[in-house]
PDB file of all heavy atoms in Angstrom:
ATOM      1  N   ALA A 708      -5.366  -7.094  -6.497  1.00 40.00           N
ATOM      2  CA  ALA A 708      -6.111  -7.519  -5.406  1.00 40.00           C
ATOM      3  C   ALA A 708      -5.237  -8.582  -4.697  1.00 40.00           C
ATOM      4  O   ALA A 708      -4.171  -8.964  -5.102  1.00 40.00           O
ATOM      5  CB  ALA A 708      -7.417  -8.068  -5.814  1.00 40.00           C
ATOM      6  N   SER A 709      -5.776  -9.014  -3.523  1.00 41.00           N
ATOM      7  CA  SER A 709      -5.024  -9.996  -2.748  1.00 41.00           C
ATOM      8  C   SER A 709      -4.822 -11.270  -3.497  1.00 41.00           C
ATOM      9  O   SER A 709      -5.697 -11.823  -4.152  1.00 41.00           O
ATOM     10  CB  SER A 709      -5.797 -10.340  -1.382  1.00 41.00           C
ATOM     11  OG  SER A 709      -5.250 -11.418  -0.756  1.00 41.00           O
ATOM     12  N   PRO A 710      -3.567 -11.854  -3.561  1.00 40.00           N
ATOM     13  CA  PRO A 710      -3.353 -13.055  -4.216  1.00 40.00           C
ATOM     14  C   PRO A 710      -3.789 -14.280  -3.410  1.00 40.00           C
ATOM     15  O   PRO A 710      -3.761 -15.400  -3.877  1.00 40.00           O
ATOM     16  CB  PRO A 710      -1.785 -13.087  -4.233  1.00 40.00           C
ATOM     17  CG  PRO A 710      -1.349 -12.371  -3.025  1.00 40.00           C
ATOM     18  CD  PRO A 710      -2.312 -11.263  -2.917  1.00 40.00           C
ATOM     19  N   TYR A 711      -4.388 -14.033  -2.274  1.00 40.00           N
ATOM     20  CA  TYR A 711      -4.861 -15.196  -1.452  1.00 40.00           C
ATOM     21  C   TYR A 711      -6.395 -15.355  -1.642  1.00 40.00           C
ATOM     22  O   TYR A 711      -7.116 -14.424  -1.748  1.00 40.00           O
ATOM     23  CB  TYR A 711      -4.493 -14.864   0.002  1.00 40.00           C
ATOM     24  CG  TYR A 711      -3.098 -14.500   0.234  1.00 40.00           C
ATOM     25  CD1 TYR A 711      -2.771 -13.120   0.546  1.00 40.00           C
ATOM     26  CD2 TYR A 711      -2.096 -15.399   0.155  1.00 40.00           C
ATOM     27  CE1 TYR A 711      -1.500 -12.808   0.697  1.00 40.00           C
ATOM     28  CE2 TYR A 711      -0.773 -15.019   0.331  1.00 40.00           C
ATOM     29  CZ  TYR A 711      -0.457 -13.777   0.606  1.00 40.00           C
ATOM     30  OH  TYR A 711       0.771 -13.378   0.806  1.00 40.00           O
ATOM     31  N   ASP A 712      -6.760 -16.632  -1.716  1.00 44.00           N
ATOM     32  CA  ASP A 712      -8.186 -16.913  -1.848  1.00 44.00           C
ATOM     33  C   ASP A 712      -8.784 -17.033  -0.419  1.00 44.00           C
ATOM     34  O   ASP A 712      -8.728 -18.058   0.204  1.00 44.00           O
ATOM     35  CB  ASP A 712      -8.319 -18.243  -2.562  1.00 44.00           C
ATOM     36  CG  ASP A 712      -9.895 -18.599  -2.771  1.00 44.00           C
ATOM     37  OD1 ASP A 712     -10.608 -17.722  -2.611  1.00 44.00           O
ATOM     38  OD2 ASP A 712     -10.118 -19.807  -3.080  1.00 44.00           O
ATOM     39  N   LEU A 713      -9.276 -15.924   0.058  1.00 42.00           N
ATOM     40  CA  LEU A 713      -9.668 -15.745   1.385  1.00 42.00           C
ATOM     41  C   LEU A 713     -11.079 -15.943   1.582  1.00 42.00           C
ATOM     42  O   LEU A 713     -11.990 -15.463   0.767  1.00 42.00           O
ATOM     43  CB  LEU A 713      -9.244 -14.385   1.960  1.00 42.00           C
ATOM     44  CG  LEU A 713      -7.850 -13.978   1.815  1.00 42.00           C
ATOM     45  CD1 LEU A 713      -7.604 -12.558   2.383  1.00 42.00           C
ATOM     46  CD2 LEU A 713      -6.974 -14.915   2.556  1.00 42.00           C
ATOM     47  N   PRO A 714     -11.588 -16.614   2.690  1.00 43.00           N
ATOM     48  CA  PRO A 714     -13.043 -16.769   2.919  1.00 43.00           C
ATOM     49  C   PRO A 714     -13.641 -15.352   3.343  1.00 43.00           C
ATOM     50  O   PRO A 714     -12.908 -14.438   3.593  1.00 43.00           O
ATOM     51  CB  PRO A 714     -13.087 -17.747   4.089  1.00 43.00           C
ATOM     52  CG  PRO A 714     -11.753 -17.591   4.807  1.00 43.00           C
ATOM     53  CD  PRO A 714     -10.734 -17.219   3.748  1.00 43.00           C
ATOM     54  N   ALA A 715     -14.965 -15.447   3.272  1.00 44.00           N
ATOM     55  CA  ALA A 715     -15.668 -14.154   3.647  1.00 44.00           C
ATOM     56  C   ALA A 715     -15.341 -13.599   5.003  1.00 44.00           C
ATOM     57  O   ALA A 715     -15.090 -12.415   5.208  1.00 44.00           O
ATOM     58  CB  ALA A 715     -17.155 -14.270   3.382  1.00 44.00           C
ATOM     59  N   GLN A 716     -15.314 -14.469   5.909  1.00 45.00           N
ATOM     60  CA  GLN A 716     -14.993 -14.104   7.321  1.00 45.00           C
ATOM     61  C   GLN A 716     -13.476 -14.580   7.567  1.00 45.00           C
ATOM     62  O   GLN A 716     -13.269 -15.863   7.717  1.00 45.00           O
ATOM     63  CB  GLN A 716     -15.913 -14.768   8.306  1.00 45.00           C
ATOM     64  CG  GLN A 716     -17.250 -14.159   8.263  1.00 45.00           C
ATOM     65  CD  GLN A 716     -18.211 -14.686   9.420  1.00 45.00           C
ATOM     66  OE1 GLN A 716     -17.876 -15.650  10.019  1.00 45.00           O
ATOM     67  NE2 GLN A 716     -19.265 -13.973   9.699  1.00 45.00           N
ATOM     68  N   TYR A 717     -12.651 -13.642   7.659  1.00 48.00           N
ATOM     69  CA  TYR A 717     -11.289 -14.048   7.642  1.00 48.00           C
ATOM     70  C   TYR A 717     -10.505 -13.115   8.638  1.00 48.00           C
ATOM     71  O   TYR A 717     -10.631 -11.871   8.589  1.00 48.00           O
ATOM     72  CB  TYR A 717     -10.696 -13.805   6.190  1.00 48.00           C
ATOM     73  CG  TYR A 717      -9.235 -13.939   6.129  1.00 48.00           C
ATOM     74  CD1 TYR A 717      -8.651 -15.353   6.258  1.00 48.00           C
ATOM     75  CD2 TYR A 717      -8.463 -12.938   5.850  1.00 48.00           C
ATOM     76  CE1 TYR A 717      -7.272 -15.423   6.211  1.00 48.00           C
ATOM     77  CE2 TYR A 717      -7.044 -13.074   5.753  1.00 48.00           C
ATOM     78  CZ  TYR A 717      -6.499 -14.310   5.902  1.00 48.00           C
ATOM     79  OH  TYR A 717      -5.117 -14.553   5.789  1.00 48.00           O
ATOM     80  N   SER A 718      -9.681 -13.659   9.533  1.00 48.00           N
ATOM     81  CA  SER A 718      -8.923 -12.965  10.599  1.00 48.00           C
ATOM     82  C   SER A 718      -7.566 -12.659  10.133  1.00 48.00           C
ATOM     83  O   SER A 718      -6.790 -12.082  10.873  1.00 48.00           O
ATOM     84  CB  SER A 718      -8.977 -13.731  11.829  1.00 48.00           C
ATOM     85  OG  SER A 718     -10.122 -13.366  12.626  1.00 48.00           O
ATOM     86  N   GLY A 719      -7.133 -13.040   8.929  1.00 55.00           N
ATOM     87  CA  GLY A 719      -5.774 -12.717   8.470  1.00 55.00           C
ATOM     88  C   GLY A 719      -4.797 -13.800   8.862  1.00 55.00           C
ATOM     89  O   GLY A 719      -5.032 -14.699   9.633  1.00 55.00           O
ATOM     90  N   VAL A 720      -3.709 -13.808   8.075  1.00 59.00           N
ATOM     91  CA  VAL A 720      -2.628 -14.777   8.332  1.00 59.00           C
ATOM     92  C   VAL A 720      -1.456 -14.026   8.949  1.00 59.00           C
ATOM     93  O   VAL A 720      -0.871 -13.120   8.335  1.00 59.00           O
ATOM     94  CB  VAL A 720      -2.177 -15.445   7.023  1.00 59.00           C
ATOM     95  CG1 VAL A 720      -1.045 -16.426   7.284  1.00 59.00           C
ATOM     96  CG2 VAL A 720      -3.377 -16.150   6.382  1.00 59.00           C
ATOM     97  N   PRO A 721      -1.027 -14.337  10.240  1.00 58.00           N
ATOM     98  CA  PRO A 721       0.033 -13.648  10.891  1.00 58.00           C
ATOM     99  C   PRO A 721       1.323 -13.690   9.987  1.00 58.00           C
ATOM    100  O   PRO A 721       1.716 -14.793   9.503  1.00 58.00           O
ATOM    101  CB  PRO A 721       0.192 -14.423  12.150  1.00 58.00           C
ATOM    102  CG  PRO A 721      -1.192 -15.067  12.412  1.00 58.00           C
ATOM    103  CD  PRO A 721      -1.678 -15.358  11.086  1.00 58.00           C
ATOM    104  N   GLY A 722       1.922 -12.515   9.883  1.00 63.00           N
ATOM    105  CA  GLY A 722       3.219 -12.463   9.099  1.00 63.00           C
ATOM    106  C   GLY A 722       3.035 -12.513   7.623  1.00 63.00           C
ATOM    107  O   GLY A 722       4.060 -12.547   6.885  1.00 63.00           O
ATOM    108  N   THR A 723       1.836 -12.526   7.092  1.00 66.00           N
ATOM    109  CA  THR A 723       1.582 -12.547   5.684  1.00 66.00           C
ATOM    110  C   THR A 723       1.030 -11.164   5.161  1.00 66.00           C
ATOM    111  O   THR A 723       0.027 -10.670   5.762  1.00 66.00           O
ATOM    112  CB  THR A 723       0.586 -13.619   5.301  1.00 66.00           C
ATOM    113  OG1 THR A 723       1.126 -14.970   5.804  1.00 66.00           O
ATOM    114  CG2 THR A 723       0.393 -13.767   3.824  1.00 66.00           C
ATOM    115  N   ASP A 724       1.633 -10.583   4.060  1.00 73.00           N
ATOM    116  CA  ASP A 724       1.189  -9.320   3.627  1.00 73.00           C
ATOM    117  C   ASP A 724       0.071  -9.621   2.565  1.00 73.00           C
ATOM    118  O   ASP A 724      -0.043 -10.565   1.950  1.00 73.00           O
ATOM    119  CB  ASP A 724       2.332  -8.586   2.949  1.00 73.00           C
ATOM    120  CG  ASP A 724       3.385  -8.117   3.898  1.00 73.00           C
ATOM    121  OD1 ASP A 724       2.979  -7.968   5.078  1.00 73.00           O
ATOM    122  OD2 ASP A 724       4.610  -8.060   3.485  1.00 73.00           O
ATOM    123  N   ALA A 725      -0.844  -8.634   2.497  1.00 75.00           N
ATOM    124  CA  ALA A 725      -1.860  -8.711   1.423  1.00 75.00           C
ATOM    125  C   ALA A 725      -2.213  -7.230   1.039  1.00 75.00           C
ATOM    126  O   ALA A 725      -1.984  -6.273   1.782  1.00 75.00           O
ATOM    127  CB  ALA A 725      -3.076  -9.335   2.074  1.00 75.00           C
ATOM    128  N   VAL A 726      -2.734  -7.179  -0.162  1.00 80.00           N
ATOM    129  CA  VAL A 726      -3.066  -5.872  -0.760  1.00 80.00           C
ATOM    130  C   VAL A 726      -4.483  -5.907  -1.166  1.00 80.00           C
ATOM    131  O   VAL A 726      -5.050  -6.834  -1.711  1.00 80.00           O
ATOM    132  CB  VAL A 726      -2.239  -5.531  -2.003  1.00 80.00           C
ATOM    133  CG1 VAL A 726      -2.663  -4.155  -2.556  1.00 80.00           C
ATOM    134  CG2 VAL A 726      -0.762  -5.482  -1.616  1.00 80.00           C
ATOM    135  N   TYR A 727      -5.284  -4.840  -0.743  1.00 83.00           N
ATOM    136  CA  TYR A 727      -6.711  -4.742  -1.068  1.00 83.00           C
ATOM    137  C   TYR A 727      -7.013  -3.399  -1.761  1.00 83.00           C
ATOM    138  O   TYR A 727      -6.228  -2.421  -1.640  1.00 83.00           O
ATOM    139  CB  TYR A 727      -7.489  -4.796   0.220  1.00 83.00           C
ATOM    140  CG  TYR A 727      -7.376  -6.090   0.931  1.00 83.00           C
ATOM    141  CD1 TYR A 727      -6.314  -6.165   1.936  1.00 83.00           C
ATOM    142  CD2 TYR A 727      -8.259  -7.154   0.738  1.00 83.00           C
ATOM    143  CE1 TYR A 727      -6.131  -7.383   2.636  1.00 83.00           C
ATOM    144  CE2 TYR A 727      -8.059  -8.363   1.470  1.00 83.00           C
ATOM    145  CZ  TYR A 727      -7.006  -8.425   2.347  1.00 83.00           C
ATOM    146  OH  TYR A 727      -6.845  -9.661   3.039  1.00 83.00           O
ATOM    147  N   ASP A 728      -8.068  -3.366  -2.486  1.00 84.00           N
ATOM    148  CA  ASP A 728      -8.494  -2.177  -3.188  1.00 84.00           C
ATOM    149  C   ASP A 728      -9.075  -1.147  -2.113  1.00 84.00           C
ATOM    150  O   ASP A 728      -8.855   0.058  -2.259  1.00 84.00           O
ATOM    151  CB  ASP A 728      -9.613  -2.468  -4.189  1.00 84.00           C
ATOM    152  CG  ASP A 728      -9.120  -3.360  -5.320  1.00 84.00           C
ATOM    153  OD1 ASP A 728      -8.155  -2.928  -5.926  1.00 84.00           O
ATOM    154  OD2 ASP A 728      -9.678  -4.422  -5.482  1.00 84.00           O
ATOM    155  N   PHE A 729      -9.717  -1.642  -1.111  1.00 84.00           N
ATOM    156  CA  PHE A 729     -10.253  -0.830  -0.022  1.00 84.00           C
ATOM    157  C   PHE A 729     -10.010  -1.452   1.327  1.00 84.00           C
ATOM    158  O   PHE A 729     -10.158  -2.605   1.460  1.00 84.00           O
ATOM    159  CB  PHE A 729     -11.780  -0.623  -0.218  1.00 84.00           C
ATOM    160  CG  PHE A 729     -12.215   0.092  -1.460  1.00 84.00           C
ATOM    161  CD1 PHE A 729     -12.573  -0.641  -2.575  1.00 84.00           C
ATOM    162  CD2 PHE A 729     -12.203   1.467  -1.547  1.00 84.00           C
ATOM    163  CE1 PHE A 729     -12.912   0.054  -3.798  1.00 84.00           C
ATOM    164  CE2 PHE A 729     -12.586   2.077  -2.727  1.00 84.00           C
ATOM    165  CZ  PHE A 729     -12.951   1.435  -3.817  1.00 84.00           C
ATOM    166  N   VAL A 730      -9.599  -0.528   2.203  1.00 85.00           N
ATOM    167  CA  VAL A 730      -9.402  -0.939   3.590  1.00 85.00           C
ATOM    168  C   VAL A 730     -10.284  -0.127   4.496  1.00 85.00           C
ATOM    169  O   VAL A 730     -10.221   1.135   4.505  1.00 85.00           O
ATOM    170  CB  VAL A 730      -7.930  -0.805   4.094  1.00 85.00           C
ATOM    171  CG1 VAL A 730      -7.762  -1.173   5.537  1.00 85.00           C
ATOM    172  CG2 VAL A 730      -7.029  -1.630   3.239  1.00 85.00           C
ATOM    173  N   VAL A 731     -11.161  -0.747   5.142  1.00 83.00           N
ATOM    174  CA  VAL A 731     -12.168  -0.037   6.065  1.00 83.00           C
ATOM    175  C   VAL A 731     -11.630  -0.225   7.489  1.00 83.00           C
ATOM    176  O   VAL A 731     -11.622  -1.350   7.950  1.00 83.00           O
ATOM    177  CB  VAL A 731     -13.562  -0.604   5.936  1.00 83.00           C
ATOM    178  CG1 VAL A 731     -14.531   0.107   6.815  1.00 83.00           C
ATOM    179  CG2 VAL A 731     -14.030  -0.526   4.488  1.00 83.00           C
ATOM    180  N   VAL A 732     -11.382   0.905   8.112  1.00 81.00           N
ATOM    181  CA  VAL A 732     -10.850   0.872   9.511  1.00 81.00           C
ATOM    182  C   VAL A 732     -12.044   1.165  10.459  1.00 81.00           C
ATOM    183  O   VAL A 732     -12.458   2.288  10.448  1.00 81.00           O
ATOM    184  CB  VAL A 732      -9.694   1.875   9.690  1.00 81.00           C
ATOM    185  CG1 VAL A 732      -9.136   1.762  11.086  1.00 81.00           C
ATOM    186  CG2 VAL A 732      -8.551   1.598   8.671  1.00 81.00           C
ATOM    187  N   GLY A 733     -12.456   0.187  11.255  1.00 77.00           N
ATOM    188  CA  GLY A 733     -13.548   0.331  12.123  1.00 77.00           C
ATOM    189  C   GLY A 733     -14.731  -0.498  11.693  1.00 77.00           C
ATOM    190  O   GLY A 733     -15.373  -0.142  10.677  1.00 77.00           O
ATOM    191  N   GLY A 734     -15.057  -1.545  12.386  1.00 72.00           N
ATOM    192  CA  GLY A 734     -16.130  -2.449  11.887  1.00 72.00           C
ATOM    193  C   GLY A 734     -17.394  -2.193  12.658  1.00 72.00           C
ATOM    194  O   GLY A 734     -18.087  -3.182  13.101  1.00 72.00           O
ATOM    195  N   GLY A 735     -17.769  -0.960  12.840  1.00 72.00           N
ATOM    196  CA  GLY A 735     -19.037  -0.632  13.526  1.00 72.00           C
ATOM    197  C   GLY A 735     -20.168  -0.695  12.398  1.00 72.00           C
ATOM    198  O   GLY A 735     -20.001  -1.190  11.299  1.00 72.00           O
ATOM    199  N   THR A 736     -21.317  -0.077  12.815  1.00 69.00           N
ATOM    200  CA  THR A 736     -22.433  -0.162  11.864  1.00 69.00           C
ATOM    201  C   THR A 736     -22.175   0.503  10.481  1.00 69.00           C
ATOM    202  O   THR A 736     -22.431   0.115   9.420  1.00 69.00           O
ATOM    203  CB  THR A 736     -23.737   0.452  12.468  1.00 69.00           C
ATOM    204  OG1 THR A 736     -23.412   1.702  12.878  1.00 69.00           O
ATOM    205  CG2 THR A 736     -24.168  -0.396  13.682  1.00 69.00           C
ATOM    206  N   ALA A 737     -21.518   1.720  10.581  1.00 73.00           N
ATOM    207  CA  ALA A 737     -21.198   2.467   9.389  1.00 73.00           C
ATOM    208  C   ALA A 737     -20.079   1.659   8.594  1.00 73.00           C
ATOM    209  O   ALA A 737     -20.235   1.464   7.367  1.00 73.00           O
ATOM    210  CB  ALA A 737     -20.761   3.866   9.676  1.00 73.00           C
TER     211      ALA A 737
END
Side-chain angles (χ1 to χ4, degrees):
S709 170
Y711 310 105
D712 185 16
L713 304 179
Q716 290 188 343
Y717 173 70
S718 271
V720 178
T723 302
D724 294 332
V726 178
Y727 299 87
D728 296 302
F729 296 94
V730 178
V731 180
V732 182
T736 54

